[in-house]
Structures are given as C-alpha cells and as structure tokens.
Amino acid sequence: PNILWSVACSVFVTVTYRSGGDGMWQALTLLFSLLPCALVQLTLLFVHRDFSRDRPLVLLLHLLQLGPLFRCFEVFCIYCQSGHVEEPYVSITKKRQMPKNGFSEEVEKEVGQAEGKLFTHRSAFSRASVIQAFLGSAPQLTLQLYISTLQQDVTVGRCLFMVLSLLSIVYGALRCNILAIKIKYDEYDVKVKPLAYVCIFLWRSFEIATRVIVLVLFTSVLKAWVVMVVLINFFSFFLYPWILFWCSGSPFPENIEKALSRVGTTIVLCFLTLLYAGINMFCWSAVQLKINNPDLISKSQNWYRLLVYYMLRFIENAFLLLMWYLYKTDIYMYVCAPLLILQLLIGYCTAILFMLVFYQFFHPCKKLFSSSVSEGFQEWLKCVCCDCRQQKSHESAGKTDLRSSEDRDETPSSSKISSLPSQILNTDELCSA
C-alpha cells in the first residue's frame, strides 16, 4: 500500500511540475519514487529466494513493478486455504514467557507450513516498508518541503504528499523498533502493547519532522555546504559497520544465501549498509548492523552508542540552525528566527523525552534490562556529584596549600621586623659608650 500511494501521489505532483515548467523538480520527484520501487522488488525476490527457483512469471511481474500486488494476492490465497486443508507437517517452536516473580516459563507452539509462509510474507513486507520509508519517502519529503520553502507556496496535492511521506517514514522507523526488539529477544514471546506503539509513534514523529525541517532550512541558505553535510553523515554510517568488521578480523560471511556468490553477497551487504546509513541520516536506526554476526544484527543493547548518537545529532542540528540564522535570506523576512530555532530544539528534546518514557515504562522487555533508564540517570547524577565533590576537595586543598605557603613566607619577614628595635637599641648603647 505504501508503494501504491507513493507512486500515485508522485505521478500527480509530477504532472503539476510538468505543467508549470519545472523540469528539475519533475525529474527528482520521479527519481525518488521509482528508485525505491526497484529496490523493493529486489528485496521481495531476495527474501522469498526466487532467484534460485524456476518462477519466470514471478520474475516478470516484479520486473513490471507488480510484485507487491502479486504478493498480496498470494497472501490472501494462503490465508483462505489455511483453515480448510489439514497440514501433514508442522514445526514446533519454543518461546519463553516474560519473567514473573523471577521465573520464566517455556511454551511450545506448533507452526504449520501456511503460518510459516505468512510469517515470511510479513517479514518481507516489513523490510519493504523500511526501504520505501528511508530510501524513498524520506528524500521525497525533504525535496517537497524544500520546493515549498523556495516557492513560498504549498499546494493541496503537495501537502497531502508530504503528510503521507512523513507517515510512511514514521511507520518505517516503528518497524525498525519492533524488528530490533524481536531480534534481540528472539527466545521470548514478545507482545507489544498499544501504548508502546503510541509512544514510539510520537517519539519518531518529533524526531523525523525536526530533522527534515533542519535540513531543509540549512539547504535553503547554503546549498553547496549541504552536500558536504550529507556526505559526511552518509559515509560515516555506511563505513562504520565495515570498519568494525575489518577490525574484528572475522572471515567474510558466506551463509547469507546459498545461491549467491561472493560478489552477490558483497552487493547484498553493501545494500544493507546503504539502508543502514539512510535510516541513521534521519533518525536512530534501533537495529545495529554487525557484519561479522551470522544474523547480521547485533543483539546487545548498547546504551552508550544511543547516548552518543543523540548528543551528536542534537549538536549537529543546533549548528545547522545557527548557520541558517546567520545566512538566512529575504524569504524568511516574516519568520521569527529565534522562536523557530527554539521550537525545533524543543521538538527534538521532546522526541528524546518520549524515547526515555518508552524505555522506562512501555518497553515489552523492560524486565530483562540490567538497569532501567531512571537507574542509569541516577547513577549518572551520582558520578557527576562525585566528580564535583572531588573537584571542590582538590580546590579547597589547593587553597589551604596556598595559605600555608603564604604563612611561611610571612613568618621570616615578621622575625626580621621584630629584630629591628633590638638592633636600634644596640647602636644607641654603643654611641653612649
């Protein structure tokens, strides 16, 4: 559905640009719409392993960009037949319940072939929605907002397009959060509550909206420098998993797909790192890519990396807003720049607040955390207070040392002054003699 409405809206907006004579905006809109469609087709083929199967009709439908429609029809047929045909073979999965009073029960569940196929389709559509969100909707939203800023006009079609693009990005980020939770706690039966979805939605909405607005404002005044900002962000996140892989000294992963050669595996890994960089360009990815892991995903919860990301991103947003304020043009004549900067920074802090609320109260596996957010914050305050106390003790010790040295310097001078009257008396006695 995301792909269908994205293509429909992009075609409508492209027609308006063509009628207005804006050839460059028309080309960029089509590029950010068709490129993710092609990547989604490849993803669906890869997840369902159709490259190694003799299914020419399926390959043709994907080539014609009709793969998602065919997959939806296939899911509908499997769902309708699942309750009427008895399956001869079932697999048994074991999941552990969330601990209660320190104890966790293990529950067995039978999974049939139809349910397994439905799970595969659901996983494929989840990955396709993430690709559509961050390689299509995110640059599309940035482009349309930039055009609206330059033209100082927002049409109804473009406004609807931007709203749907923002919802697509937020949904993709939400899928990243759920995927990260299910991968890290694979042995547990994870159930996400509705309030957790609401909290994630608010967290991601504030984070992505403020990030896109900051990039658009900076681009509108410093078009040449935005290329450097984008390239630094992109290559930092693109090369980071590869640097960790090279430093680990692990062998090249060969178990991604049996039908793929080393070159094909390298292309798949590069595409994953490309998607990883695209996600982190706009928001926290939640899923940490680890090439030397058989699952390609790190299952450890790295709070330090999360803290560093949001600190650096906040500093970067503040710096970009400062540059916009210093070099803003006449198109922002009727905009209160300090108030807008304050609102954007508060909006980003609001996103961080919802993130902390999610991890503290609504995370489905918060009972498995070694320490909660509040406990970590209390430990951080204790460390800061201890550092302040040590610094004050060092300062007071330095002051006492200075006072003692001053007293030592004053002691001989006072003895010299006290000896002067005695010397004067001795000279008087000599004179009288």
Side-chain angles (χ1 to χ4, degrees):
N2 291 341
I3 301 173
L4 294 178
W5 66 253
S6 177
V7 173
C9 291
S10 63
V11 169
F12 176 77
V13 174
T14 301
V15 171
T16 59
Y17 288 147
R18 184 177 181 179
S19 61
D22 298 325
M24 185 175 65
W25 303 141
Q26 175 189 356
L28 290 175
T29 302
L30 283 178
L31 175 65
F32 292 143
S33 178
L34 297 179
L35 178 62
C37 289
L39 295 177
V40 165
Q41 309 298 326
L42 293 175
T43 302
L44 293 176
L45 290 172
F46 177 78
V47 172
H48 292 282
R49 294 180 171 87
D50 288 327
F51 289 108
S52 59
R53 300 163 64 183
D54 188 14
R55 302 182 70 183
L57 178 60
V58 175
L59 295 176
L60 178 62
L61 290 174
H62 280 283
L63 185 63
L64 297 175
Q65 304 297 313
L66 298 175
L69 293 177
F70 172 74
R71 300 296 179 182
C72 291
F73 176 74
E74 191 175 10
V75 168
F76 180 75
C77 293
I78 294 173
Y79 180 77
C80 293
Q81 295 176 0
S82 60
H84 302 284
V85 180
E86 184 178 358
E87 298 182 0
Y89 301 102
V90 294
S91 59
I92 298 175
T93 60
K94 295 181 180 181
K95 294 287 184 179
R96 298 173 62 184
Q97 299 291 333
M98 283 294 116
K100 293 181 180 179
N101 299 324
F103 297 98
S104 177
E105 296 182 358
E106 193 173 53
V107 179
E108 294 184 354
K109 182 181 179 181
E110 294 183 354
V111 179
Q113 293 182 353
E115 188 175 355
K117 291 179 180 179
L118 291 176
F119 177 80
T120 303
H121 280 285
R122 184 166 60 248
S123 177
F125 281 124
S126 298
R127 286 161 173 77
S129 64
V130 174
I131 294 171
Q132 173 63 34
F134 292 100
L135 298 183
S137 297
Q140 193 73 265
L141 174 62
T142 307
L143 174 65
Q144 301 305 322
L145 186 59
Y146 176 73
I147 297 172
S148 301
T149 303
L150 292 184
Q151 296 181 354
Q152 296 185 353
D153 180 42
V154 181
T155 61
V156 177
R158 192 188 302 158
C159 180
L160 180 62
F161 194 16
M162 289 190 291
V163 171
L164 293 177
S165 298
L166 179 60
L167 292 177
S168 174
I169 305 170
V170 173
Y171 177 74
L174 189 146
R175 296 305 310 173
C176 286
N177 279 98
I178 303 303
L179 180 64
I181 293 171
K182 291 185 177 180
I183 290 176
K184 292 174 183 177
Y185 306 98
D186 185 41
E187 66 273 14
Y188 289 92
D189 185 15
V190 179
K191 296 180 180 179
V192 185
K193 297 181 180 179
L195 286 177
Y197 283 108
V198 174
C199 195
I200 296 174
F201 179 82
L202 294 174
W203 160 24
R204 295 306 196 174
S205 298
F206 279 100
E207 181 182 8
I208 294 168
T210 52
R211 177 62 177 170
V212 171
I213 294 174
V214 168
L215 290 176
V216 169
L217 291 176
F218 181 77
T219 307
S220 64
V221 295
L222 296 172
K223 299 179 179 63
W225 288 98
V226 74
V227 178
M228 186 183 69
V229 173
V230 171
L231 290 179
I232 291 175
N233 275 272
F234 175 77
F235 282 108
S236 297
F237 292 107
F238 181 81
L239 297 176
Y240 180 71
W242 290 102
I243 293 174
L244 292 180
F245 171 68
W246 290 327
C247 293
S248 65
S250 301
F252 189 79
E254 301 286 351
N255 56 349
I256 296 177
E257 178 63 37
K258 295 180 180 179
L260 293 177
S261 62
R262 181 177 286 266
V263 176
T265 303
T266 305
I267 294 174
V268 171
L269 292 176
C270 289
F271 174 70
L272 287 177
T273 49
L274 172 67
L275 179 60
Y276 178 75
I279 295 172
N280 284 280
M281 182 82 69
F282 293 92
C283 65
W284 172 249
S285 61
V287 179
Q288 299 303 310
L289 191 61
K290 193 174 182 180
I291 298 177
N292 57 349
N293 193 309
D295 297 329
L296 300 178
I297 300 295
S298 176
K299 294 186 178 182
S300 61
Q301 183 67 43
N302 198 328
W303 298 106
Y304 175 75
R305 189 180 298 174
L306 178 68
L307 176 64
V308 171
Y309 175 86
Y310 277 101
M311 287 180 60
L312 293 179
R313 186 63 77 201
F314 182 83
I315 294 172
E316 182 193 2
N317 288 341
F319 176 76
L320 295 181
L321 288 174
L322 178 62
M323 291 297 101
W324 168 77
Y325 180 75
L326 294 177
Y327 295 98
K328 65 180 184 296
T329 56
D330 294 337
I331 62 175
Y332 300 105
M333 184 182 301
Y334 301 103
V335 176
C336 183
L339 180 60
L340 180 58
I341 293 174
L342 182 62
Q343 289 175 345
L344 290 174
L345 294 179
I346 291 176
Y348 199 78
C349 293
T350 305
I352 297 176
L353 177 62
F354 279 114
M355 178 193 68
L356 296 177
V357 170
F358 168 71
Y359 280 109
Q360 177 66 28
F361 300 105
F362 302 112
H363 197 283
C365 304
K366 62 181 180 180
K367 295 181 181 180
L368 303 176
F369 291 169
S370 58
S371 61
S372 62
V373 175
S374 59
E375 292 175 353
F377 185 68
Q378 290 175 3
E379 291 178 359
W380 179 76
L381 286 179
K382 289 179 181 178
C383 292
V384 172
C385 293
C386 290
D387 291 338
C388 293
R389 289 176 183 175
Q390 291 178 359
Q391 187 175 2
K392 289 181 180 179
S393 63
H394 288 312
E395 291 178 356
S396 61
K399 290 181 180 179
T400 54
D401 292 338
L402 288 175
R403 289 178 181 175
S404 61
S405 62
E406 289 176 358
D407 293 338
R408 291 174 184 174
D409 293 336
E410 291 176 355
T411 302
S413 61
S414 61
S415 62
K416 291 179 181 179
I417 294 172
S418 61
S419 64
L420 284 175
S422 61
Q423 293 177 0
I424 294 171
L425 288 174
N426 293 332
T427 53
D428 293 338
E429 288 176 358
L430 291 172
C431 290
S432 61

